[in-house]
Amino acid sequence: MEKMDYFRMDATAKVTMDSLKELYLLPQISRYQRLQTAYPCESPVEYNLYEGVARYGDTRRRIQLIGTYATGSRSFCWAWASPNPLPETVIQASLQLVAWAEAAKIESWGVIKGVCEPVEPVVVSSIAAGVLNHDYVFDVWEFTETLHGCVLVEHSDDLPKLGLHAVCRVLQTALRRLSARQKTPVLEYLRQEGFKLREEGSFCYGSRADGELTLTFDERGGVRQITPSH
């Protein structure tokens, strides 16, 4: 694996979980939604964690296991700390992320004991895919009813663009996990999705060829409402 770009954000800024979520949640959840759109059948069709490959459609893709998420305790265990050891080639991304987290002094990621809690798999996976400088898309697999796997799928091919309502779903998924400072990442994401934006007071109107969105913000920059055109 190539060396990752540790600090793609402002190197002088303090790295916090909130700043990481603001930077990575929306674009990475969008890539995840595009992956689901590209493979509408149950995916992956098959996978082998020990070989580090999974089949999406007719294509075998390399994967990295970031860690596992226990739904009961909401705790996350890094792949490198798993009680069921995997080949080093499959856990390289988790080792790199721990090195990055130690350098960034993100203590809440539990880099010493290998377990951090509470946490959400979508949050960990989004940050992992965003921090690592690779063509990764995250995916969350249900190993068992109580144990989910956070996986990075190597996918350098173009993924389908999202329609208006799919963009709304991405926003809703991310906004539940973002802090009150939502306006800047939301507007940046909409620009990346090709929307032309116009702000009027607490409202923002976004338009592109397939429709329009109206967003209402509160005084703190949080999103109060998202209304797509019919």
Side-chain angles (χ1 to χ4, degrees), residues 92-109:
Q92 278 298 299
S94 71
L95 290 168
Q96 286 188 315
L97 282 161
V98 166
W100 169 81
E102 288 179 332
K105 297 181 171 57
I106 306 178
E107 296 177 358
S108 62
W109 272 34

Side-chain angles (χ1 to χ4, degrees), residues 166-180:
V167 168
C168 289
R169 288 194 296 273
V170 169
L171 288 169
Q172 290 162 352
T173 301
L175 289 171
R176 291 196 297 268
R177 297 164 173 88
L178 281 171
S179 65

Side-chain angles (χ1 to χ4, degrees), residues 24 66 78 97 109 123-133 136 152:
Y24 295 128
I66 297 300
W78 291 102
L97 282 161
W109 272 34
V123 171
V124 171
S125 301
S126 296
I127 293 172
V131 167
L132 291 168
N133 193 9
Y136 282 135
L152 297 183

Side-chain angles (χ1 to χ4, degrees), residues 121-188:
V122 167
V123 171
V124 171
S125 301
S126 296
I127 293 172
V131 167
L132 291 168
N133 193 9
H134 298 283
D135 292 316
Y136 282 135
V137 185
F138 81 81
D139 205 349
V140 179
W141 299 349
E142 187 174 312
F143 292 155
T144 69
E145 186 176 341
T146 58
L147 188 68
H148 294 175
C150 299
V151 180
L152 297 183
V153 182
E154 195 174 82
H155 200 299
S156 58
D157 302 338
D158 288 338
L159 289 164
K161 293 293 185 183
L162 297 180
L164 189 69
H165 291 277
V167 168
C168 289
R169 288 194 296 273
V170 169
L171 288 169
Q172 290 162 352
T173 301
L175 289 171
R176 291 196 297 268
R177 297 164 173 88
L178 281 171
S179 65
R181 301 186 302 272
Q182 298 174 343
K183 186 173 183 178
T184 298
V186 165
L187 296 187
E188 177 60 26

